[in-house]
Amino acid sequence: MKKLILGLFITLFGTAMSAQEYIEPVEKWKVSEVWGNNYHGWSFHQDVEVDFTVEGQDGRFTPTDAEIAEAEALLQKRIAYVNREHYNQGGMCPIIDEHMRLYRRQYVGFTNDRGDHIVWINGLWDDNLSDEKLASDVILTRGGCGHFWHIKCNLTTRKVYGLEVNEDGDIQLIPRVKKPAPRISKSKARDKKQKVRKTGIIHSPEEKVFN
């Protein structure tokens, strides 16, 4: 009898412990850190708001590690050709395709009206930007020349396009566009006397009663 009770206790205890191991997560991460061959960055969840779009955009998606690896493979294979004009590069400004591993990345996923998956890649080379800052929001800047750039990789068509490189000059963070606050209607003051309508009905706390 004692063995039976002990066995039952062990079974119930084991079941309770197993149940505790499977806890349903209550929220999703909004950003995930990714590493790969010559790249390190952060992938932003599709629910994170951004202040820019892509051509024909009709939605967003969250890039997976595999999709980021695919986008980076396309980028690193074709960046030298896409960047052949070296706009805002040279001299004290680095040439992007010669220093790819030094740029930390930010990734945002878009879909267009043809159903294509597009990964927008933001490249930043600035020791003043901490990893915590880069993981908290998408960073857009002015100035800094070849230290800052972004580009698009269409995973469906395998096209790399839209390279934009910052102009020369002092580095300035571009503030986010302030979203308009929701309109809140004010309630009417309770002590304000209301006017008599043309119907003759008086709408006020001291409404008259006709017998």
Side-chain angles (χ1 to χ4, degrees):
M1 185 65 179
K2 289 183 178 180
K3 291 183 178 180
L4 178 62
I5 294 173
L6 180 61
L8 181 61
F9 174 79
I10 293 173
T11 301
L12 292 174
F13 181 78
T15 303
M17 291 299 291
S18 297
Q20 291 179 4
E21 292 176 1
Y22 298 99
I23 299 175
E24 188 72 20
V26 296
E27 62 181 18
K28 295 179 180 178
W29 293 105
K30 296 300 183 183
V31 61
S32 59
E33 193 169 9
V34 292
W35 291 269
N37 185 23
N38 285 336
Y39 68 88
H40 168 220
W42 293 266
S43 172
F44 286 81
H45 191 273
Q46 63 189 29
D47 291 340
V48 176
E49 293 186 2
V50 294
D51 292 334
F52 51 90
T53 61
V54 299
E55 301 82 357
Q57 177 183 336
D58 77 342
R60 294 274 305 280
F61 77 99
T62 304
T64 64
D65 289 1
E67 287 170 325
I68 289 172
E70 183 181 353
E72 279 287 346
L74 288 170
L75 172 64
Q76 296 186 41
K77 180 179 180 180
R78 302 179 185 179
I79 184 62
Y81 177 77
V82 175
N83 188 43
R84 60 191 180 280
E85 301 293 340
H86 293 165
Y87 288 119
N88 298 330
Q89 300 160 68
M92 297 298 292
C93 296
I95 296 175
I96 293 169
D97 48 279
E98 294 179 359
H99 302 88
M100 288 295 289
R101 65 182 182 82
L102 298 178
Y103 293 93
R104 288 173 292 173
R105 320 278 216 266
Q106 294 180 315
Y107 305 93
V108 180
F110 294 93
T111 57
N112 65 17
D113 49 16
R114 296 189 302 272
D116 296 351
H117 277 54
I118 301 163
V119 178
W120 180 90
I121 302 176
N122 197 25
L124 308 102
W125 181 359
D126 186 350
D127 293 337
N128 293 319
L129 290 173
S130 66
D131 285 357
E132 291 75 17
K133 179 69 174 176
L134 293 174
S136 64
D137 199 5
V138 177
I139 304 295
L140 296 177
T141 61
R142 298 186 184 93
C145 56
H147 290 90
F148 300 89
W149 52 272
H150 44 262
I151 198 168
K152 288 164 273 192
C153 294
N154 189 316
L155 300 181
T156 307
T157 64
R158 306 191 66 78
K159 180 181 178 182
V160 179
Y161 65 102
L163 175 64
E164 296 185 27
V165 184
N166 276 21
E167 71 281 2
D168 198 2
D170 294 336
I171 300 169
Q172 296 178 337
L173 292 177
I174 299 177
R176 268 190 173 279
V177 176
K178 188 175 181 180
K179 308 295 182 184
R183 184 177 178 181
I184 302 174
S185 59
K186 295 182 179 179
S187 58
K188 295 180 180 179
R190 289 181 175 272
D191 58 347
K192 185 178 180 180
K193 291 183 179 180
Q194 298 183 7
K195 295 181 179 179
V196 179
R197 292 184 180 177
K198 291 182 180 180
T199 58
I201 300 174
I202 300 173
H203 296 267
S204 68
E206 300 80 25
E207 203 169 51
K208 292 184 178 180
V209 177
F210 295 92
N211 295 322

